[in-house]
Amino acid sequence: MTSTSFYIGVLKESAPGERRVALVPETVSRLRTAGLDVLVERGAGRQAHYPDEAYADAGAVIVDAAGLDHRADLLVCVQPPDAGRVAGLHTGQALLGLLAPAANPELIGACARLGVTAVSLDLLPRTLSRAQSMDALTSQAGFAGYRAALLAAAAYERFLPLMMTAAGTAPPAQVLVLGAGVAGLSALGTARRLGAVVTGYDIRPETADEVRSIGARFLRLTDAADGSGSGGYARALSQREREAQQAALQERIGGFDIVISTAQVPGRRPPVLVTRDALKAMRPGSVVVDLAAGPFGGNVEGSEPDRTIVLEDGVTVIGAGNLPASMAAGASAAYARNIAAMVNLLVSNGAVRLDPEDEILRAVVVTRPGDRPESEAAAATPGPETGAGTITETDTEGAAR
Ligand code: NAD
């Protein structure tokens, strides 16, 4: 990765509630050492506690939005910039971030029309070991799982660990985590470190060893189907299988004080695992955190993102919003390392180079300059050939997390 005058531009995020920033001073230094120049939009890191001065000390040049959009060869962001901002970009530039193409067809259409290369980190093939250093969904899901356990602990009005006091002994909280992927394992580990008795459940039986390895029990539901799919992912269940799973879970959920749900099959709506009847079976004071809550539903019936509901019978349901943004300093530092690793793959000899044989680039590059004639691109929505995926009823929110 050597370059003369190749500018990476760090955008100030504009999405509501987004406090993260795509590069932090430490990664700016590293990119500078690798021969790249970095422009940072004034105030880009302020909400994540990275002041402009720290970027300047690391060798970045602080500029205003117009200067950045004009000069940057590769613009980096967390969430997609708004339409007005994208409209000001020009042919030959590239945009890298969690662009959620399926949820943002206008953005992708605009990039195609303008000849801007759009690179979306959320399309990264997560199972490729070569891709791990760039895997922003994984780094951010780890933060989200951790934060979900803290949220649950704060809302739960009893102790998580066993407490022996002169006034008597309080039993430890029983915590169930549904979905033992990245966020789920992080939530399990955190709840365990807080002293709770933890149990994990996943539709893929092969996750049982991972759950046990962090000191949790694995919940086996004899009436629920084996949901292992291909490539290490779960498969979507049929309606009948879903109902059987809900019923089996309903019988067990009442025995837990805290439930944290993180179940999802990529590209599908989150499955409903906790029904209203299951919530009714929980004791007053119990807490449920739905990490999968989004505009297309969640794992918990009735949950909504960024909303806490206390049900009549005293059960608190927390629909998680953008949890990594609530720990913007740490989440940005991890995200920045993912961005730097992707920059390393994308940029060589002072230019963005898209090796068509590279399986990571084939997956993440959504638009390339010259992909299509301008008239065609103007009407374009992302299609499978662009790597953006078709927009179907089953697509999830694709929110940048
Ligand atoms: P992941 O793919 O690593 O894990 C999902 C797990 O769910 C997998 O292990 C899968 O086997 C399991 N699963 C799928 N269907 C299931 C079912 N019917 N029953 C039980 N388990 C099932 O995904 P992840 O990165 O850990 O993310 C999990 C969820 O958390 C997603 O919905 C994601 O959008 C959400 N998330 C939210 C935030 C936030 O801030 N709110 C941040 C990151 C991720």
Side-chain angles (χ1 to χ4, degrees):
M1 189 171 65
T2 54
S3 148
T4 49
S5 313
F6 182 90
Y7 286 99
I8 297 177
V10 182
L11 290 174
K12 184 172 170 184
E13 296 295 311
S14 56
E18 186 52 79
R19 297 174 53 229
R20 290 169 291 178
V21 60
L23 287 182
V24 301
E26 184 227 333
T27 40
V28 168
S29 298
R30 284 211 235 147
L31 292 168
R32 294 281 299 127
T33 308
L36 300 169
D37 291 310
V38 182
L39 307 170
V40 174
E41 185 174 342
R42 189 163 286 111
R46 194 180 303 134
Q47 294 211 70
H49 311 300
Y50 299 105
D52 289 345
E53 300 71 47
Y55 286 102
D57 289 347
V61 177
I62 310 299
V63 293
D64 61 14
L68 185 117
D69 295 356
H70 179 66
R71 288 168 64 191
D73 298 295
L74 170 63
L75 297 98
V76 294
C77 56
V78 181
Q79 301 220 33
D82 58 41
R85 187 90 194 243
V86 174
L89 301 184
H90 54 81
T91 303
Q93 287 182 306
L95 177 66
L96 165 63
L98 292 166
L99 304 181
N104 295 301
E106 298 83 10
L107 168 91
I108 301 307
C111 288
R113 197 163 55 245
L114 293 165
V116 170
T117 301
V119 182
S120 193
L121 271 185
D122 38 5
L123 300 177
L124 199 77
R126 289 174 91 181
T127 46
L128 282 184
S129 53
R130 229 184 103 228
Q132 272 172 15
S133 59
M134 307 162 204
D135 190 349
L137 283 187
T138 292
S139 72
Q140 303 305 294
F143 282 95
Y146 164 81
R147 195 64 162 190
L150 297 188
L151 278 180
Y156 183 59
E157 296 180 7
R158 295 174 199 269
F159 293 111
L160 260 69
L162 172 83
M163 288 293 275
M164 290 202 275
T165 71
T169 300
Q174 297 286 335
V175 174
L176 172 65
V177 175
L178 302 172
V182 180
L185 290 173
S186 171
L188 276 170
T190 307
R192 179 158 193 272
R193 287 192 290 275
L194 290 171
V197 175
V198 287
T199 304
Y201 166 71
D202 199 288
I203 195 80
R204 291 180 298 128
E206 64 267 30
T207 58
D209 286 345
E210 283 178 89
V211 167
R212 290 195 195 102
S213 73
I214 51 176
R217 296 174 186 153
F218 187 75
L219 179 68
R220 263 190 209 289
L221 297 177
T222 41
D223 293 337
D226 172 342
S228 298
S230 57
Y233 289 111
R235 66 178 175 86
L237 300 184
S238 69
Q239 176 73 18
R240 247 177 73 194
E241 288 173 325
R242 279 202 300 269
E243 285 166 8
Q245 185 188 36
Q246 287 167 356
L249 276 171
Q250 190 173 321
E251 277 181 23
R252 311 297 287 273
I253 276 174
F256 292 91
D257 304 301
I258 292 175
V259 175
I260 299 171
S261 65
T262 75
Q264 179 119 36
V265 176
R268 314 290 296 214
R269 287 168 192 265
V272 173
L273 301 182
V274 184
T275 59
R276 283 182 215 282
D277 286 341
L279 290 170
K280 282 198 187 118
M282 296 185 82
R283 290 186 286 264
S286 303
V287 175
V288 180
V289 178
D290 187 0
L291 212 75
F296 295 89
N299 294 146
V300 180
E301 221 174 350
S303 73
E304 287 175 37
D306 277 319
R307 183 147 180 244
T308 297
I309 308 163
V310 182
L311 302 175
E312 252 172 50
D313 34 15
V315 174
T316 300
V317 178
I318 301 173
N322 179 351
L323 295 187
S326 68
M327 24 190 338
S332 300
Y335 184 79
R337 287 193 283 274
N338 301 138
I339 287 279
M342 181 52 81
V343 168
N344 196 25
L345 179 65
L346 272 176
V347 181
S348 60
N349 298 324
V352 168
R353 295 184 200 277
L354 306 175
D355 176 0
E357 301 302 316
D358 188 296
E359 56 187 329
I360 294 180
L361 293 179
R362 274 211 308 270
V364 298
V365 176
V366 187
T367 62
R368 304 165 184 256
D371 255 357
R372 299 169 226 201
E374 200 157 294
S375 54
E376 207 185 348
T381 52
E385 75 283 7
T386 66
T390 44
I391 301 156
T392 68
E393 217 218 275
T394 51
D395 276 317
T396 55
E397 75 271 35
R401 283 164 170 168

Coordinates of all heavy atoms in Angstrom, one line a residue, residues 322-370:
N322 N -29.1 1.3 18.4 CA -27.8 1.2 17.8 C -26.8 1.1 19.0 O -26.3 2.1 19.5 CB -27.5 2.4 16.9 CG -26.1 2.4 16.4 OD1 -25.3 1.6 16.7 ND2 -25.9 3.3 15.4
L323 N -26.6 -0.1 19.6 CA -25.8 -0.2 20.8 C -24.3 0.2 20.6 O -23.7 0.8 21.5 CB -25.9 -1.6 21.4 CG -27.3 -1.9 21.9 CD1 -27.3 -3.3 22.6 CD2 -27.9 -0.9 22.8
P324 N -23.7 -0.2 19.5 CA -22.3 0.2 19.3 C -22.1 1.7 19.4 O -21.1 2.2 19.9 CB -21.9 -0.4 18.0 CG -22.8 -1.5 17.8 CD -24.1 -1.1 18.4
A325 N -23.1 2.5 18.9 CA -23.0 3.9 19.0 C -23.0 4.4 20.4 O -22.5 5.5 20.7 CB -24.1 4.6 18.2
S326 N -23.5 3.6 21.3 CA -23.6 4.0 22.7 C -22.2 3.8 23.4 O -22.0 4.1 24.6 CB -24.7 3.3 23.5 OG -24.4 2.0 23.6
M327 N -21.3 3.1 22.7 CA -19.9 3.0 23.2 C -19.0 3.4 22.1 O -18.1 2.6 21.6 CB -19.6 1.6 23.8 CG -20.4 0.5 23.3 SD -20.2 -1.0 24.2 CE -18.6 -0.8 25.0
A328 N -19.2 4.7 21.6 CA -18.6 5.1 20.4 C -17.1 5.1 20.4 O -16.5 4.8 19.4 CB -19.1 6.5 20.0
A329 N -16.5 5.4 21.5 CA -15.0 5.4 21.5 C -14.4 4.1 21.2 O -13.6 3.9 20.3 CB -14.5 5.9 22.9
G330 N -14.8 3.1 21.9 CA -14.3 1.7 21.7 C -14.7 1.1 20.4 O -13.9 0.5 19.7
A331 N -16.0 1.3 20.1 CA -16.6 0.7 18.8 C -15.9 1.4 17.6 O -15.6 0.7 16.6 CB -18.1 0.9 18.8
S332 N -15.6 2.7 17.7 CA -14.9 3.4 16.6 C -13.5 2.8 16.4 O -13.0 2.7 15.3 CB -14.9 4.9 16.8 OG -16.2 5.4 16.9
A333 N -12.8 2.6 17.5 CA -11.4 2.1 17.4 C -11.4 0.8 16.7 O -10.5 0.5 15.9 CB -10.8 2.0 18.8
A334 N -12.3 -0.1 17.0 CA -12.4 -1.4 16.4 C -12.8 -1.3 14.9 O -12.2 -1.9 14.0 CB -13.3 -2.3 17.1
Y335 N -13.8 -0.5 14.7 CA -14.3 -0.3 13.3 C -13.1 0.3 12.5 O -13.0 -0.1 11.3 CB -15.5 0.7 13.4 CG -16.1 0.9 12.0 CD1 -17.0 0.0 11.5 CD2 -15.8 2.1 11.3 CE1 -17.6 0.2 10.2 CE2 -16.4 2.3 10.0 CZ -17.3 1.3 9.5 OH -17.9 1.5 8.3
A336 N -12.4 1.3 13.0 CA -11.3 1.9 12.3 C -10.3 0.9 11.8 O -9.7 0.9 10.7 CB -10.6 3.0 13.1
R337 N -10.0 -0.1 12.7 CA -9.1 -1.2 12.3 C -9.6 -2.0 11.1 O -8.9 -2.4 10.2 CB -8.7 -2.1 13.5 CG -7.8 -1.3 14.5 CD -7.2 -2.2 15.5 NE -8.1 -2.6 16.6 CZ -8.3 -1.9 17.7 NH1 -7.6 -0.8 17.9 NH2 -9.2 -2.3 18.6
N338 N -10.9 -2.2 11.2 CA -11.6 -3.0 10.1 C -11.4 -2.1 8.8 O -11.1 -2.7 7.7 CB -13.1 -3.2 10.3 CG -13.3 -4.0 11.6 OD1 -14.2 -3.7 12.4 ND2 -12.5 -5.1 11.8
I339 N -11.7 -0.8 8.9 CA -11.6 0.0 7.7 C -10.1 0.0 7.2 O -9.9 -0.1 6.0 CB -12.0 1.5 8.1 CG1 -13.5 1.5 8.3 CG2 -11.6 2.5 7.0 CD1 -14.3 1.6 7.0
A340 N -9.2 0.1 8.1 CA -7.8 0.2 7.6 C -7.4 -1.1 6.9 O -6.7 -1.1 5.9 CB -6.9 0.4 8.8
A341 N -7.9 -2.2 7.4 CA -7.6 -3.5 6.7 C -8.2 -3.5 5.3 O -7.6 -4.0 4.4 CB -8.1 -4.7 7.6
M342 N -9.4 -3.0 5.2 CA -10.0 -3.0 3.9 C -9.3 -2.0 3.0 O -9.1 -2.3 1.8 CB -11.5 -2.6 4.0 CG -12.3 -2.6 2.7 SD -12.1 -4.0 1.7 CE -13.3 -5.2 2.4
V343 N -8.9 -0.9 3.5 CA -8.1 0.1 2.7 C -6.8 -0.6 2.2 O -6.5 -0.5 1.0 CB -7.7 1.3 3.5 CG1 -6.7 2.2 2.8 CG2 -9.0 2.1 3.8
N344 N -6.2 -1.4 3.0 CA -5.0 -2.1 2.6 C -5.3 -3.0 1.4 O -4.4 -3.2 0.5 CB -4.6 -3.0 3.8 CG -3.2 -3.4 3.7 OD1 -2.4 -2.8 3.0 ND2 -2.8 -4.5 4.4
L345 N -6.5 -3.6 1.4 CA -6.8 -4.5 0.3 C -7.2 -3.7 -1.0 O -6.9 -4.1 -2.1 CB -8.0 -5.4 0.7 CG -8.5 -6.4 -0.4 CD1 -7.5 -7.5 -0.7 CD2 -9.8 -7.1 0.2
L346 N -7.9 -2.6 -0.8 CA -8.4 -1.8 -1.9 C -7.4 -0.9 -2.6 O -7.5 -0.7 -3.8 CB -9.5 -0.8 -1.3 CG -10.9 -1.3 -1.2 CD1 -11.7 -0.2 -0.5 CD2 -11.5 -1.6 -2.5
V347 N -6.5 -0.4 -1.8 CA -5.6 0.7 -2.4 C -4.2 0.2 -2.6 O -3.6 -0.4 -1.7 CB -5.6 1.9 -1.4 CG1 -4.7 3.0 -2.0 CG2 -7.0 2.4 -1.1
S348 N -3.7 0.3 -3.8 CA -2.3 0.1 -4.0 C -1.8 1.1 -5.1 O -2.5 1.5 -6.0 CB -2.1 -1.4 -4.5 OG -2.8 -1.7 -5.6
N349 N -0.5 1.4 -4.9 CA 0.1 2.4 -5.8 C -0.7 3.6 -6.1 O -0.9 4.0 -7.2 CB 0.5 1.7 -7.1 CG 1.5 0.6 -6.9 OD1 2.4 0.7 -6.0 ND2 1.4 -0.5 -7.6
G350 N -1.3 4.1 -5.0 CA -2.0 5.4 -5.1 C -3.3 5.4 -5.8 O -3.8 6.4 -6.3
A351 N -3.9 4.2 -5.9 CA -5.3 4.2 -6.5 C -6.1 3.0 -5.9 O -5.5 2.1 -5.4 CB -5.1 4.0 -8.0
V352 N -7.4 3.2 -6.0 CA -8.3 2.0 -5.7 C -8.2 1.0 -6.8 O -8.4 1.4 -8.0 CB -9.7 2.5 -5.5 CG1 -10.7 1.3 -5.4 CG2 -9.8 3.4 -4.2
R353 N -7.8 -0.2 -6.5 CA -7.7 -1.2 -7.5 C -8.7 -2.4 -7.2 O -8.6 -3.0 -6.1 CB -6.3 -1.7 -7.7 CG -5.4 -0.6 -8.2 CD -4.0 -1.0 -8.4 NE -3.2 0.2 -8.4 CZ -3.0 1.0 -9.5 NH1 -3.6 0.7 -10.6 NH2 -2.3 2.1 -9.4
L354 N -9.6 -2.7 -8.1 CA -10.6 -3.7 -7.8 C -10.2 -5.0 -8.6 O -10.6 -5.2 -9.7 CB -12.0 -3.2 -8.2 CG -12.4 -1.8 -7.6 CD1 -13.7 -1.4 -8.2 CD2 -12.4 -1.9 -6.1
D355 N -9.5 -5.9 -7.9 CA -9.1 -7.1 -8.5 C -10.4 -8.0 -8.7 O -10.9 -8.5 -7.7 CB -8.1 -7.8 -7.6 CG -7.7 -9.2 -8.1 OD1 -8.2 -9.6 -9.1 OD2 -6.8 -9.8 -7.4
P356 N -10.8 -8.3 -9.9 CA -12.0 -9.0 -10.1 C -11.9 -10.5 -9.6 O -12.9 -11.1 -9.5 CB -12.3 -9.0 -11.6 CG -10.9 -8.6 -12.2 CD -10.1 -7.9 -11.2
E357 N -10.7 -10.9 -9.4 CA -10.5 -12.3 -9.0 C -10.6 -12.4 -7.4 O -10.6 -13.5 -6.9 CB -9.1 -12.9 -9.4 CG -8.9 -12.9 -10.9 CD -10.0 -13.7 -11.6 OE1 -10.3 -14.8 -11.1 OE2 -10.5 -13.2 -12.7
D358 N -10.6 -11.3 -6.8 CA -10.5 -11.4 -5.3 C -11.9 -11.6 -4.7 O -12.8 -10.8 -4.9 CB -9.9 -10.1 -4.7 CG -9.7 -10.1 -3.3 OD1 -10.7 -10.3 -2.5 OD2 -8.5 -10.1 -2.9
E359 N -12.1 -12.7 -4.0 CA -13.4 -13.1 -3.6 C -14.0 -12.1 -2.5 O -15.2 -11.9 -2.4 CB -13.5 -14.5 -3.1 CG -12.6 -14.9 -2.0 CD -12.7 -16.4 -1.7 OE1 -13.7 -17.0 -1.8 OE2 -11.6 -16.9 -1.2
I360 N -13.1 -11.4 -1.8 CA -13.6 -10.4 -0.8 C -14.1 -9.2 -1.6 O -15.3 -8.8 -1.4 CB -12.5 -10.0 0.2 CG1 -12.2 -11.2 1.1 CG2 -13.0 -8.8 1.0 CD1 -11.1 -10.9 2.1
L361 N -13.3 -8.8 -2.5 CA -13.7 -7.6 -3.3 C -15.0 -7.9 -4.2 O -15.9 -7.0 -4.3 CB -12.6 -7.1 -4.2 CG -11.4 -6.5 -3.4 CD1 -10.3 -6.1 -4.4 CD2 -11.8 -5.4 -2.6
R362 N -15.0 -9.1 -4.7 CA -16.2 -9.4 -5.5 C -17.5 -9.3 -4.6 O -18.6 -8.9 -5.1 CB -16.1 -10.9 -6.0 CG -15.4 -11.0 -7.3 CD -15.9 -12.1 -8.1 NE -15.9 -13.4 -7.4 CZ -14.9 -14.2 -7.4 NH1 -13.8 -14.0 -8.0 NH2 -15.0 -15.4 -6.7
A363 N -17.4 -9.6 -3.3 CA -18.6 -9.6 -2.4 C -18.9 -8.1 -2.0 O -20.1 -7.8 -1.9 CB -18.3 -10.4 -1.2
V364 N -17.9 -7.3 -1.7 CA -18.2 -6.0 -1.1 C -18.3 -4.8 -2.0 O -18.9 -3.8 -1.7 CB -17.1 -5.7 0.0 CG1 -17.1 -6.7 1.1 CG2 -15.7 -5.5 -0.6
V365 N -17.8 -5.0 -3.3 CA -17.9 -3.9 -4.2 C -19.3 -3.9 -4.8 O -19.6 -4.8 -5.5 CB -16.8 -3.9 -5.3 CG1 -16.9 -2.8 -6.3 CG2 -15.4 -3.8 -4.6
V366 N -20.0 -2.8 -4.6 CA -21.4 -2.8 -5.0 C -21.5 -2.1 -6.4 O -22.3 -2.5 -7.3 CB -22.3 -2.1 -4.0 CG1 -23.7 -2.2 -4.4 CG2 -22.0 -2.7 -2.6
T367 N -20.8 -1.0 -6.5 CA -20.8 -0.3 -7.9 C -19.3 0.0 -8.2 O -18.5 0.3 -7.4 CB -21.5 1.1 -7.8 OG1 -20.9 1.9 -6.9 CG2 -23.0 0.9 -7.4
R368 N -19.1 0.0 -9.5 CA -17.8 0.3 -10.1 C -18.0 1.4 -11.1 O -19.0 1.3 -11.8 CB -17.1 -0.9 -10.8 CG -17.0 -2.1 -9.9 CD -16.6 -3.3 -10.9 NE -16.6 -4.5 -10.0 CZ -15.5 -5.1 -9.6 NH1 -14.3 -4.6 -10.1 NH2 -15.5 -6.1 -8.9
P369 N -17.0 2.3 -11.3 CA -17.1 3.2 -12.4 C -17.2 2.5 -13.7 O -16.5 1.5 -13.9 CB -15.9 4.1 -12.3 CG -15.1 3.6 -11.2 CD -15.7 2.4 -10.6
G370 N -18.1 2.9 -14.6 CA -18.2 2.3 -15.9 C -19.0 1.0 -15.9 O -19.0 0.3 -16.9

